[in-house]
Amino acid sequence: MDGIAKKALLFDFYGELLTENQKEVYGEHIQNDLSVSEIAQLRGISRQGVHDMIRRCEKILVDYEERLHLVEHFLTVKKMVGVIHRYAEEISDCGDREEISGRIEDIKRISSEILEQY
């Protein structure tokens, strides 16, 4: 996953744990793709102040992820659901009963792994 997408996911998961000011500034940078200069001009603060706040927010969000692993868990489950979806499509396209049976067992195994995590 590229850096911007990872930052956006971290913000989606943990952004509410930032202060209101941090949330607004970091959101303008990540969600609205505003530059440090644009944010500084909009808020009437220095570019250095915006830059420092963005770096501080990134550190805070990464720290939450290192402790809680919610984004990592989300991406793992998303990948597993993608596999289940692919298997379901293969089953609907397949006429071989043995292959269908094998895919159904795979779906049961993967879905059980997901369910065990909750």
Side-chain angles (χ1 to χ4, degrees), residues 83-91 103 106-107 109-110:
V83 171
I84 289 172
H85 182 77
R86 189 178 80 240
Y87 287 167
E89 286 180 338
E90 288 175 8
I91 288 171
R103 286 298 181 215
D106 290 340
I107 288 171
R109 178 183 49 79
I110 294 169

Side-chain angles (χ1 to χ4, degrees), residues 36-111:
V36 171
S37 297
E38 291 170 320
I39 297 168
Q41 185 176 18
L42 283 172
R43 298 199 156 262
I45 57 178
S46 70
R47 287 180 19 218
Q48 185 63 44
V50 172
H51 181 270
D52 290 347
M53 184 177 291
I54 289 170
R55 296 296 161 240
R56 190 167 43 253
C57 289
E58 287 173 353
K59 184 180 180 329
I60 290 168
L61 297 175
V62 167
D63 185 51
Y64 282 130
E65 177 59 16
E66 287 174 354
R67 292 169 188 251
L68 301 172
H69 306 283
L70 296 178
V71 172
E72 176 187 338
H73 181 72
F74 167 76
L75 293 174
T76 300
V77 171
K78 183 177 177 182
K79 183 178 179 181
M80 294 169 88
V81 170
V83 171
I84 289 172
H85 182 77
R86 189 178 80 240
Y87 287 167
E89 286 180 338
E90 288 175 8
I91 288 171
S92 66
D93 293 340
C94 181
D96 181 10
R97 295 196 60 69
E98 191 172 310
E99 188 174 340
I100 290 172
S101 179
R103 286 298 181 215
I104 289 173
E105 289 305 313
D106 290 340
I107 288 171
K108 287 178 184 176
R109 178 183 49 79
I110 294 169
S111 61

